[in-house]
């Protein structure tokens, strides 16, 4: 770093950055991990397990076991990744750490809600909300257990 770059803040420590910049890496990690695991889940469930026979998913138990529980696990992995990547002084604040960990999962779930449009019923909304809450709770709990 040259002396001309010192006033621009190029060599500054992470805690000197604006607060919003401390959230960018956790949010990106959470979104990427959640999306990649959801794609793997979709390929696994729809191509490998069910194949061309959609009637295999007809029972509510199979829907929960093959779709909702793995989706909660994907959300949990995304929350855990976002929480694990979040570092610095803002990690000590419970509000900022929660915002860094939960924002990617909540934003992705809002995108899903808005993309469903008129197909969104009260039952599907509640089921997806439970999946989101369970996934967020498990992911945050794993991060807390890992960090003591």
């Amino acid at each position: 770093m040259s002396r001309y770059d010192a006033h621009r803040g190029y060599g500054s420590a992470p805690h000197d950055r604006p607060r919003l910049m401390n959230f960018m890496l956790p949010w990106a990690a959470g979104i990427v991990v959640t999306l990649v695991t959801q794609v793997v889940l979709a390929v696994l469930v729809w191509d490998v397990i069910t194949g061309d026979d959609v009637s295999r998913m007809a029972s509510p138990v199979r829907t929960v076991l093959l779709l909702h529980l793995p989706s909660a696990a994907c959300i949990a992995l995304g929350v855990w990744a976002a929480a694990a990547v979040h570092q610095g002084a803002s990690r000590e604040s419970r509000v900022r750490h929660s915002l860094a960990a939960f924002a990617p999962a909540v934003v992705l779930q809002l995108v899903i809600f808005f993309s469903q449009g008129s197909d969104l019923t009260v039952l599907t909304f509640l089921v997806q909300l439970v999946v989101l809450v369970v996934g967020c709770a498990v992911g945050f709990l794993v991060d807390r257990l890992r960090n003591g």
Side-chain angles (χ1 to χ4, degrees):
M1 176 175 80
S2 71
R3 63 187 170 126
Y4 301 110
D5 292 336
H7 71 281
R8 295 184 184 152
Y10 291 134
S12 63
H15 61 276
D16 292 339
R17 293 185 299 200
R19 288 185 182 170
L20 184 62
M21 296 306 289
N22 289 331
F23 294 124
M24 292 297 148
L25 184 61
W27 288 346
I31 288 173
V32 167
V33 168
T34 303
L35 288 177
V36 167
T37 54
Q38 287 282 0
V39 167
V40 169
L41 170 71
V43 168
L44 182 69
V45 169
W46 293 111
D47 288 345
V48 177
I49 296 174
T50 59
D52 294 333
D53 189 15
V54 182
S55 65
R56 293 182 185 178
M57 293 289 287
S59 75
V61 174
R62 286 187 180 163
T63 302
V64 168
L65 289 176
L66 293 176
L67 191 63
H68 297 303
L69 285 179
S71 182
C74 294
I75 292 171
L77 285 172
V79 168
W80 182 33
V85 170
H86 186 230
Q87 300 296 326
S90 65
R91 185 177 175 90
E92 301 303 322
S93 170
R94 289 189 190 270
V95 174
R96 289 187 204 135
H97 189 58
S98 298
L99 182 64
F102 298 139
V106 171
V107 167
L108 287 174
Q109 192 63 45
L110 286 174
V111 168
I112 291 170
F113 285 152
F114 288 128
S115 68
Q116 289 177 344
S118 64
D119 294 336
L120 183 65
T121 63
V122 174
L123 183 62
T124 58
F125 174 79
L126 291 175
V127 167
Q128 290 175 2
L129 188 63
V130 167
V131 167
L132 176 68
V133 169
V134 167
C136 286
V138 169
F140 200 71
L141 178 66
V142 168
D143 177 64
R144 284 296 175 193
L145 290 174
R146 187 183 70 102
N147 290 323

